[in-house]
């Protein structure tokens, strides 16, 4: 039964980190990019809600991956949370409709977008890993 609690804490941690970091943080990063690159700004409440919702969904999917990785002890390796964040960045880059719809066309902007995006996902990986570790530890303490 402890695996279920640990897995659920990883999925919840992924969703919470996804909401805050990928959703809200990603939207803030998307708002900052036009100022940096000189591109025109595009903002809508519906688009912002879509980014936050997708961030939460990708976060929960990342939580499932985190639960599986924790079972293999891969997450115990130093720097694993950074690698996990970059892995999720690759998954999101390949599958997210938001990334393709808002991808910059100016060659100068592409490295900036990649750096911002990778940074947001590394922060997500670190927060999700930390929350899952804390929450599964507290679940073990209350079960004892």
């Amino acid at each position: 039964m402890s695996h279920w609690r640990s897995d659920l804490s990883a999925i919840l941690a992924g969703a919470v980190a996804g909401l805050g970091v990928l959703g809200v943080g990603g939207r803030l990063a998307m708002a900052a990019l036009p100022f940096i690159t000189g591109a025109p700004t595009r903002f809508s409440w519906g688009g912002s809600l879509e980014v936050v919702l997708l961030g939460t969904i990708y976060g929960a999917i990342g939580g499932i991956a985190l639960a599986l990785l924790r079972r293999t002890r891969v997450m115990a390796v130093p720097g694993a949370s950074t690698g996990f964040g970059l892995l999720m960045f690759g998954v999101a880059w390949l599958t997210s409709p938001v990334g393709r719809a808002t991808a910059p066309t100016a060659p100068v902007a592409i490295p900036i977008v990649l750096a911002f995006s990778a940074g947001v996902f590394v922060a997500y990986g670190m927060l999700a890993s930390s929350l899952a570790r804390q929450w599964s530890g507290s679940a073990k303490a209350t079960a004892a």
Side-chain angles (χ1 to χ4, degrees), residues 117-132:
S117 301
V120 167
F121 273 91
V122 166
Y124 160 76
M126 295 172 81
L127 180 60
S129 298
S130 177
L131 288 175

Side-chain angles (χ1 to χ4, degrees), residues 50-118:
E50 180 183 5
V51 171
V52 171
L53 181 62
L54 281 172
T56 306
I57 291 168
Y58 274 97
I61 292 168
I64 294 168
L66 181 60
L68 294 172
L69 289 171
R70 289 177 67 193
R71 284 185 178 210
T72 65
R73 308 275 190 242
V74 169
M75 295 307 292
V77 174
S81 59
T82 299
F84 169 67
L86 291 174
L87 172 71
M88 290 309 300
F89 169 61
V91 169
W93 187 264
L94 293 173
T95 62
S96 173
V98 173
R100 283 190 297 278
T102 60
T105 55
V108 167
I110 293 171
I112 295 170
V113 169
L114 286 173
F116 262 67
S117 301

Side-chain angles (χ1 to χ4, degrees), residues 4-18:
W4 284 105
R5 284 187 177 169
S6 178
D7 291 347
L8 287 176
S9 69
I11 295 167
L12 182 61
V16 169

